[in-house]
Amino acid sequence: MISSVQMSAIQNLKNYCATLSDINNSISILSWDQNTYLPPKAHPERGQQIATLASILHDRQTSPKLQKLIAEAEDQLYHDSPDADHALVRVMRRTYNQSTKLPPSFVEEFANLTSQAHAIWTQARLDDKFSDFAPVLDKIIQMSKAQAEYLGYSDHPYNALLDIYEEGLTVTQVQKVFDPLVSKVSQILAQAKNTFNQSFSPPAPLAITKQQQFTKKLLQTIGYDFGRGREDLSAHPFTTMLGHNDRRVTNRYSSGDITSVFTAMHEGGHALYEQGIDESLARTPLGEGTSLVIHESQSRLWENLVGKNRHFWQFLFSQLQEYFPEVFLSQYSDRIYHQLHQVKPSLIRTEADEVTYPLHIVIRFEIEKLLLEDQLQTSEIPQYWNTKYKQYLDVDVPSDREGCLQDVHWSMGGIGYFPTYALGTIMSVQVWNQLQSELLDVPACLSSGDLAPIHNWLTDKIYQYGSTYTLSEVLQRVCHSDLQIQPFLDYLQNKYTTPNT
Amino acid sequence: MISSVQMSAIQNLKNYCATLSDINNSISILSWDQNTYLPPKAHPERGQQIATLASILHDRQTSPKLQKLIAEAEDQLYHDSPDADHALVRVMRRTYNQSTKLPPSFVEEFANLTSQAHAIWTQARLDDKFSDFAPVLDKIIQMSKAQAEYLGYSDHPYNALLDIYEEGLTVTQVQKVFDPLVSKVSQILAQAKNTFNQSFSPPAPLAITKQQQFTKKLLQTIGYDFGRGREDLSAHPFTTMLGHNDRRVTNRYSSGDITSVFTAMHEGGHALYEQGIDESLARTPLGEGTSLVIHESQSRLWENLVGKNRHFWQFLFSQLQEYFPEVFLSQYSDRIYHQLHQVKPSLIRTEADEVTYPLHIVIRFEIEKLLLEDQLQTSEIPQYWNTKYKQYLDVDVPSDREGCLQDVHWSMGGIGYFPTYALGTIMSVQVWNQLQSELLDVPACLSSGDLAPIHNWLTDKIYQYGSTYTLSEVLQRVCHSDLQIQPFLDYLQNKYTTPNT
């Protein structure tokens, strides 16, 4: 039996968290608007408004009152308290520690530095001149090392930074996955380049308004609830959480290709995860998806494992034919399927295919690790970058703009973020394999466009729990395993070296 | 010379206010989204989010720290300090007093009551049954009386409530304006009913997307800057301030009439006022329009005195012809002008013409005053309402739904709000007359659609100052007068009893 004192300590913490959640969601609303509808001249003031709310949130996340509430809740947790109560306390302890371990002066200095760095990076990228960015990046690396010291770690300072983006992630874990990846992917790559060798470009423009109708319909097909979300236009597609019943996606459209279709699947995957969280977790810190890796596993699962599956392609192509009968003639089906799977080592991470994508991440991971170990100086990044691109991808990097200046992450102080992209992709295959082993006749679901069984299985196994479980717990519960690279390599091997998969 | 101590006390207060302004604007952003793009199922949680930010704002508006900052600024104000500094301190003292005079328990109780009342009113209106709403309205009246006692007043408790919406407004002032209005408007009405006797309805539907393009163009014509705002769709049109460079309007469209054109002029008038405020007042409490009366004077000026002016009509009609050549045939110009000026006593305030509109307000003002004086019981409202509508407007009220249940204001506790609508309309004529006496050839500006001189004059005289001056100060500075009913009556007499004006 649960005593009323215990209920009340947990409930008190929940009440406090409800306000944090409201402020957090308010920031997301301001920022969604910033990326969709904000009038051009209002950008600087919107930055100030977001900073004001962020500072109010930070004050409340570091207040002695919260410390007391967490301690009281910790005291009153029992072994058999519900998982969600244990998780609530664990997550709030983690948030509180992360927020209080860094001195306010450090937080302010880091924010100022990254704000400057972002402007410098933007200009350096325009000017194609890494040397202009190197000094400020160097300061970011130094402050990231200091940040690691404040946060604490065992074994490697990088562990402290990886942990910010994915609770408990370590260099050792990442390397265990990345080490076999490089050699094996290089082998697959050699064959994959020739497997899907047909290309396609639409013989007539694809009207943007039609595409918008199409992606709305597609989102509904995968189970996205427009009663609890929207799809809007933005320069860079994203998914954002404005409340339990308000998970929005954005997209962008080009009349020359069908990228918007797979962007809708990708952002839709993020959003299905968020829409599937149980209502009992609303306005608590467990009411959003657990982690970057699990999130990316779901966006990738819907984008690649469902969206580009041969069986689903039958359905998707028939839908495209309905909306654009003049473009998607039956004889093109195979050519487009090929086009979607073309493997071509390239310079830009965000445009990379499924096979080469993880290699882009491995290079960034290696550089971050070496920088933190003082084995590499920021000024040496371009040369290291270009050598690695030649070695792993066999491409020559003609400019820093298309090389080590391409990503925004470092300018924002996001050291430790990149690995989550690749790990999410790797995890998506483990989850997909498990789903196929438990569900009957997945191919039939896919070819008929009846995705409810897939959506329901994922909701049941993963989505409903929000942030209740950590990455390792989710993997154990769902796949009875830790993170494994082999299923991903097998998937690549199977799909990209056999023409008819 | 201003001492550095003084500068610092004012500056400290300004810094504090900047945060208040950010929170206030954040609430407006949440609420703009609520009225435009919010997914249907997210409405309840959005209410919670707004309530959380409102409570944070309230805490900061009533904090001892603010009291200290205001007191220090007051100590260090000199007679020759800038008007804006005097105004900043005056406005913050007023805000602080208004927020602290009401006990928190009262504020909470009143919020709960009006939240219930709004739901009850909605249902009672659907059921056309005032008696269901009367008991909760009675509680609102009792609490409004208590509110008046907390806030303090001289002469009449209604003064305390009027002051909430318009600083310093009193029953005596309102009556001085309303008393001559009733008898004089009744006389004008008798003639006006027959002056504009032609009617018009479009022979073909007016496509909504074309109307949207048209209202955008029209807003640009009057001087609205889309770099600092937007126009979106909403169920009820409104203007809102999300930041100094972000003043948004909304509109609604019907394919059967051109109401959207005058809604754009009305909301555009509010927005021009807000966009015209000097940048030095951004993020201070002076950085928004002064008061409901001045605001309404500007929306009405642009909607009626510019928008429905005979000279401007020449320009506006030619524009309509460009966008809808199949509908606005030249021979219709006069008929439509007539249609726009038809005077017809009616039941619904928001649909009333210029002549009868103020009578709707007078009735509501009389009822509110009598309720606060205990001269009228809430249960007696329908009978009183219907009698007055017969007496002033010569219409029979067939149902409470079209009678005393039509407005949302009372259910929200907004006793004292209504008079500002009529006073704004009355003021608009005083300002317009003054503008005409100072600017050369206003008719030529109007007929050519060159509205910049009008916009510039208003910016120079009123808009730039934001909330620096009170209503009486603005009237004195601009019109060298207090609020006068005669110009408004002369305008109605002149326009509505002479067919060719």
Side-chain angles (χ1 to χ4, degrees), chain B residues 414-433:
Chain B
I415 314 293
Y417 193 112
F418 282 123
T420 64
Y421 288 131
L423 299 180
T425 303
I426 290 162
M427 174 177 174
S428 71
V429 178
Q430 281 181 270
V431 173
W432 184 245
N433 288 352

Side-chain angles (χ1 to χ4, degrees), chain B residues 1-15:
Chain B
M1 198 186 128
I2 296 167
S3 76
S4 67
V5 181
Q6 179 186 3
M7 292 217 311
S8 117
I10 294 287
Q11 192 53 51
N12 289 342
L13 181 58
K14 273 192 195 163
N15 293 346

Side-chain angles (χ1 to χ4, degrees), chain A residues 19 22-23 25-26 29-30 32-33 37-42 45-46 48-49 52-53 56 59-60 225-230 242-246 248 283, chain B residues 19 22-23 25-26 29-30 32-33 37-42 45-46 48-49 52-53 56 59-60 225-230 242-246 248 283:
Chain A
T19 302
D22 287 343
I23 302 171
N25 285 324
S26 299
I29 296 161
L30 268 61
W32 171 83
D33 182 72
Y37 294 120
L38 192 68
K41 292 178 192 163
E45 72 193 19
R46 180 55 56 86
Q48 284 176 322
Q49 292 159 348
T52 294
L53 293 193
I56 291 170
D59 286 351
R60 287 172 184 237
D225 176 1
F226 276 94
R228 299 175 59 210
R230 316 178 28 87
L242 315 188
H244 178 75
N245 288 314
D246 195 358
R248 303 187 189 180
R283 291 180 97 214
Chain B
T19 303
D22 287 342
I23 303 171
N25 285 324
S26 299
I29 295 161
L30 268 61
W32 170 84
D33 182 72
Y37 294 118
L38 193 68
K41 293 177 191 165
E45 73 193 19
R46 181 54 57 87
Q48 283 176 324
Q49 292 160 347
T52 294
L53 293 193
I56 291 170
D59 286 351
R60 287 174 185 235
D225 177 1
F226 276 93
R228 299 176 57 211
R230 318 178 26 89
L242 315 188
H244 178 75
N245 288 315
D246 196 357
R248 302 187 190 181
R283 292 180 97 214

Side-chain angles (χ1 to χ4, degrees), chain B residues 46-258:
Chain B
R46 181 54 57 87
Q48 283 176 324
Q49 292 160 347
I50 291 175
T52 294
L53 293 193
S55 142
I56 291 170
L57 182 63
H58 184 261
D59 286 351
R60 287 174 185 235
Q61 278 173 341
T62 55
S63 78
K65 185 175 172 190
L66 176 58
Q67 186 180 27
K68 187 161 165 282
L69 289 171
I70 296 171
E72 285 169 0
E74 281 169 342
D75 279 352
Q76 290 164 5
L77 266 187
Y78 291 92
H79 181 69
D80 60 355
S81 298
D83 283 6
D85 287 357
H86 279 282
L88 172 77
V89 176
R90 187 192 87 244
V91 169
M92 286 313 296
R93 169 58 70 193
R94 177 175 148 80
T95 305
Y96 180 79
N97 287 347
Q98 280 191 339
S99 313
T100 51
K101 280 182 176 172
L102 302 174
S105 62
F106 177 88
V107 173
E108 197 182 333
E109 201 187 329
F110 202 34
N112 288 336
L113 178 64
T114 52
S115 156
Q116 281 172 40
H118 186 262
I120 295 171
W121 167 78
T122 306
Q123 191 57 47
R125 192 178 175 218
L126 275 175
D127 298 342
D128 189 19
K129 210 170 161 198
F130 182 81
S131 57
D132 286 351
F133 179 52
V136 73
L137 178 57
D138 201 58
K139 284 188 197 151
I140 286 175
I141 299 298
Q142 298 318 315
M143 286 201 81
S144 298
K145 283 188 206 164
Q147 190 182 18
E149 297 303 323
Y150 284 126
L151 294 172
Y153 56 86
S154 50
D155 301 331
H156 198 293
Y158 199 7
N159 288 347
L161 306 180
L162 290 168
D163 178 78
I164 295 173
Y165 302 103
E166 188 62 51
E167 187 177 352
L169 190 67
T170 64
V171 173
T172 313
Q173 285 173 15
V174 177
Q175 269 182 327
K176 188 181 147 224
V177 172
F178 281 3
D179 283 348
L181 190 148
V182 174
S183 62
K184 187 65 195 176
V185 166
S186 300
Q187 288 168 29
I188 295 169
L189 183 54
Q191 290 176 269
K193 278 193 238 180
N194 304 313
T195 308
F196 296 101
N197 49 16
Q198 298 178 53
S199 68
F200 174 81
S201 61
L206 302 161
I208 306 289
T209 48
K210 274 260 164 177
Q211 284 192 59
Q212 288 177 313
Q213 290 162 19
F214 186 82
T215 58
K216 286 231 154 73
K217 177 87 185 297
L218 180 59
L219 284 166
Q220 283 166 333
T221 301
I222 70 173
Y224 180 79
D225 177 1
F226 276 93
R228 299 176 57 211
R230 318 178 26 89
E231 188 190 34
D232 293 274
L233 265 180
S234 68
H236 303 282
F238 63 95
T239 304
T240 182
M241 284 67 77
L242 315 188
H244 178 75
N245 288 315
D246 196 357
R247 298 0 193 148
R248 302 187 190 181
V249 297
T250 68
N251 208 332
R252 60 179 166 192
Y253 301 87
S254 146
S255 60
D257 59 51
I258 52 168

Side-chain angles (χ1 to χ4, degrees), chain A residues 32 35-36 215 231-240 248-254 259-268 270 296 299 303 350 417 421:
Chain A
W32 171 83
N35 287 291
T36 51
T215 58
E231 188 190 34
D232 294 274
L233 264 181
S234 67
H236 303 283
F238 64 96
T239 303
T240 181
R248 303 187 189 180
V249 297
T250 69
N251 207 331
R252 61 180 165 191
Y253 301 87
S254 146
T259 309
S260 70
V261 171
F262 296 94
T263 302
M265 296 291 287
H266 182 97
E267 300 306 331
H270 284 304
E296 197 68 10
S299 56
E303 176 190 1
T350 56
Y417 193 111
Y421 289 130

Side-chain angles (χ1 to χ4, degrees), chain A residues 81-200:
Chain A
S81 299
D83 284 4
D85 288 355
H86 278 283
L88 172 77
V89 176
R90 187 193 87 242
V91 169
M92 287 312 297
R93 168 59 69 193
R94 177 176 147 80
T95 304
Y96 180 80
N97 286 348
Q98 280 192 338
S99 313
T100 50
K101 279 182 177 171
L102 303 173
S105 62
F106 178 88
V107 173
E108 196 182 333
E109 200 187 330
F110 203 32
N112 288 336
L113 178 64
T114 52
S115 156
Q116 281 171 41
H118 186 263
I120 295 171
W121 167 78
T122 307
Q123 190 58 47
R125 191 178 176 218
L126 275 175
D127 299 343
D128 189 18
K129 211 171 160 196
F130 183 80
S131 57
D132 287 351
F133 178 53
V136 73
L137 177 57
D138 201 59
K139 285 187 197 152
I140 287 176
I141 299 297
Q142 298 319 314
M143 285 200 83
S144 299
K145 283 187 207 165
Q147 190 182 16
E149 297 303 324
Y150 285 126
L151 294 172
Y153 57 86
S154 51
D155 302 330
H156 199 292
Y158 199 7
N159 288 348
L161 306 179
L162 290 169
D163 177 79
I164 295 173
Y165 302 103
E166 188 62 51
E167 188 177 351
L169 190 66
T170 64
V171 173
T172 313
Q173 283 173 16
V174 177
Q175 269 181 328
K176 187 182 148 225
V177 172
F178 282 2
D179 284 348
L181 191 148
V182 174
S183 63
K184 186 67 195 178
V185 166
S186 301
Q187 289 168 28
I188 296 170
L189 183 54
Q191 291 176 270
K193 279 194 239 180
N194 303 313
T195 308
F196 295 102
N197 49 16
Q198 298 177 54
S199 68
F200 174 79

